[in-house]
């Protein structure tokens, strides 16, 4: 671990003391602080006004019981969370994650990341995150609906189109957003489209929202490659995961001329040197909600691997699109040895700090999630715009907006990295540029 400037270390020590046991939250805070030394030196007014201390303390943390009845007639109790982290730039905005690993520390790390990511988009959205330790895997549709309805029966009182606007994340897609929206509508007797994003296309959703996180990640990598006079053409990609982010990163990378040779789920990974058959993958994951092992069973060019790591597969570009801390230092060393030239985080914080350092030292282009996966939440903000104006835009126009937003984020990161003495370092660029924007707003709005 690197060391922090003493002033930043003092603030970090307080974060550690006040949030015991929340390892992922500590990691997310540390990763931002590591970049900020030159900013706090240039702007002493930020330290004087305790901007960092204020940004590290969520505005509101809500934890609630979620009782529901399973298909066997048994009562199950889960825990629900919504951490409303910062509304300094707009209503709290960020997804809901349903996964057994969810706890307060995970939601706080995601909420903290979200503040900076959302600032980077340049759109008027604050940061928040929520979810539950509910495991949707293997549940019937009726069970999912019962859980979502119970979850919303508490959550509804905390959210609203001008207050807090949840969306999806791991385990929460169009189906879950539908049940959540239905229950919100029933309880409040309001057709308030802008209260949730990631809605279905027939009832207030936006074209391109489903694809946006994966597409955006690939657009961002494309900008990085362009800055080095390079492109996706002919590149071999490894994409971890096979959820919404991974599937649409694969789709856009293929459209730009790359061959995606591997993807994964929590059980293992598939290698398909002929290139992933996207139609088969979508059918298995989106329609049948199946495991990826079935992909290999149905495709002669593919093999299914359950031991080792997907990062052992030789590639030019790696996109970790599964979950936090899935790409560690050893994996990074292997990727560098295999000649990787670019890595971008489609998931939130999938790369450990040690792995990020390995890529930096090796001169590999590295895009942090705050920048690379911001296309999802940015398109959520476009969905909110459409809802507010009771309009819906074409696929072409919405994708163009997304591409423009990702190019803008790339430009802001590159400029801030130059300004703060770390040219080409997108981690420093993303952290400093978003922090300055947030800090100026914190000062402007007074002690609130
Ligand atoms: N869960 C996504 C993220 O991590 C999207 C959030 C949203 O659309 O509000 O950014």
């Amino acid at each position: 671990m690197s060391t922090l400037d003493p002033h930043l270390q003092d603030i970090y020590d307080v974060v550690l003391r006040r949030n015991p046991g929340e390892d992922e939250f500590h990691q997310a805070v540390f990763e931002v602080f590591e970049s900020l030394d030159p900013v706090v030196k240039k702007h002493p007014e930020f330290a004087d006004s305790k901007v960092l201390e204020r940004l590290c303390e969520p505005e509101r943390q809500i934890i609630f019981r979620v009782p529901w009845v399973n298909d066997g007639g048994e009562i199950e109790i889960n825990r629900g969370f919504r951490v409303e982290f910062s509304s300094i730039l707009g209503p709290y905005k960020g997804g809901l994650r349903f996964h057994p690993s969810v706890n307060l520390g995970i939601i706080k790390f995601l909420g903290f990341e979200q503040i900076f990511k959302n600032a980077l988009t340049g759109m008027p959205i604050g940061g928040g995150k929520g979810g539950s330790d509910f495991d949707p895997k293997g549940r019937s549709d009726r069970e999912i609906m019962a859980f979502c309805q119970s979850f919303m029966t508490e959550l509804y009182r905390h959210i609203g189109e001008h207050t807090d606007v949840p969306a999806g994340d791991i385990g929460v897609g169009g189906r879950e957003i539908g049940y959540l929206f239905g229950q919100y509508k029933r309880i409040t007797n309001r057709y308030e489209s802008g209260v949730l994003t990631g809605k279905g296309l027939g009832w207030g959703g936006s074209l391109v929202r489903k694809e946006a996180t994966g597409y955006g990640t690939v657009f961002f990598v494309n900008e990085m490659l362009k800055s080095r006079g390079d492109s996706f053409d002919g590149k071999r990609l490894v994409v971890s995961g096979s959820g919404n982010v991974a599937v649409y990163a694969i789709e856009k990378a293929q459209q730009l001329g790359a061959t995606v040779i591997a993807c994964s789920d929590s059980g293992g990974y598939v290698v398909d040197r002929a290139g992933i058959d996207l139609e088969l993958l979508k059918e298995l994951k989106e329609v049948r909600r199946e495991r990826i092992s079935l992909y290999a069973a149905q495709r002669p060019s593919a093999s299914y691997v359950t031991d080792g790591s997907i990062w052992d597969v030789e590639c030019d570009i790696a996109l970790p699109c599964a979950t936090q801390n899935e790409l560690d230092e050893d994996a990074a060393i292997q990727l560098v040895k295999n000649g990787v030239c670019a890595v971008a985080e489609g998931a939130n914080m999938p790369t450990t700090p040690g792995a990020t350092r390995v890529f930096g030292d090796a001169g590999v282009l590295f895009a942090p999630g705050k920048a690379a996966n911001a296309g999802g939440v940015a398109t959520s903000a476009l969905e909110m715009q459409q809802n507010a104006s009771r309009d819906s835009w074409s696929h072409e126009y919405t994708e163009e907006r997304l591409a423009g937003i990702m190019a803008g984020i790339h430009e802001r990161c590159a400029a801030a990295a130059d300004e703060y003495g770390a040219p080409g370092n997108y981690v420093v660029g993303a952290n400093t540029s978003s922090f300055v924007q947030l800090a100026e707003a914190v000062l402007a709005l007074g002690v609130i």
Side-chain angles (χ1 to χ4, degrees), residues 261-319:
I261 54 174
C263 62
S264 62
D265 64 17
S266 56
Y269 64 92
V270 294
V271 181
D272 187 346
R273 305 235 171 248
I276 296 289
D277 176 342
L278 197 61
E279 244 170 72
L280 175 59
L281 185 66
K282 280 186 183 173
E283 161 75 17
L284 287 173
K285 297 308 278 192
E286 293 185 342
V287 184
R288 292 166 55 188
R289 300 182 191 274
E290 274 292 355
R291 309 297 296 164
I292 210 170
S293 50
L294 268 192
Y295 176 94
Q298 292 184 30
R299 177 106 165 134
S301 55
S303 51
Y304 178 59
V305 189
T306 50
D307 54 349
S309 154
I310 190 171
W311 308 119
D312 294 338
V313 180
E314 202 175 307
C315 64
D316 305 304
I317 297 172
L319 303 182

Side-chain angles (χ1 to χ4, degrees), residues 93-95 114 117 129 165 167-169 197 209 348 373 376-377 380:
K93 182 80 197 87
Q114 200 83 46
K117 183 196 306 193
K129 201 87 187 189
V165 183
D169 195 83
T197 60
R209 175 61 192 90
N348 289 313
N373 70 41
V377 75
S380 277

Side-chain angles (χ1 to χ4, degrees), residues 201-380:
L201 296 176
W203 42 278
S206 171
L207 286 163
V208 195
R209 175 61 192 90
K210 185 169 69 168
E211 297 86 348
T213 312
Y215 277 20
T217 302
V218 169
F219 287 146
F220 193 91
V221 175
N222 204 30
E223 294 296 323
M224 292 201 298
L225 292 170
K226 265 201 266 173
S227 75
R228 288 202 178 168
D230 205 347
S231 77
F232 269 102
D233 206 26
K235 295 279 192 300
R236 293 162 309 161
L237 253 71
V238 168
V239 178
S240 64
S242 48
N244 189 52
V245 182
V247 164
Y248 291 98
I250 294 172
E251 181 165 282
K252 186 51 69 182
Q254 289 179 341
Q255 286 171 8
L256 295 181
T259 306
V260 182
I261 54 174
C263 62
S264 62
D265 64 17
S266 56
Y269 64 92
V270 294
V271 181
D272 187 346
R273 305 235 171 248
I276 296 289
D277 176 342
L278 197 61
E279 244 170 72
L280 175 59
L281 185 66
K282 280 186 183 173
E283 161 75 17
L284 287 173
K285 297 308 278 192
E286 293 185 342
V287 184
R288 292 166 55 188
R289 300 182 191 274
E290 274 292 355
R291 309 297 296 164
I292 210 170
S293 50
L294 268 192
Y295 176 94
Q298 292 184 30
R299 177 106 165 134
S301 55
S303 51
Y304 178 59
V305 189
T306 50
D307 54 349
S309 154
I310 190 171
W311 308 119
D312 294 338
V313 180
E314 202 175 307
C315 64
D316 305 304
I317 297 172
L319 303 182
C321 295
T323 194
Q324 64 270 4
N325 291 326
E326 55 160 313
L327 196 168
D328 63 12
E329 199 169 330
D330 289 341
I333 291 168
Q334 189 59 47
L335 280 164
V336 169
K337 220 187 269 171
N338 289 343
V340 76
C341 71
V343 178
E345 295 186 320
N348 289 313
M349 209 170 74
T351 311
T352 65
T356 308
R357 264 189 293 281
V358 170
F359 294 133
D361 293 346
V364 171
L365 288 168
F366 178 78
K370 285 181 199 82
N373 70 41
V377 75
T379 308
S380 277

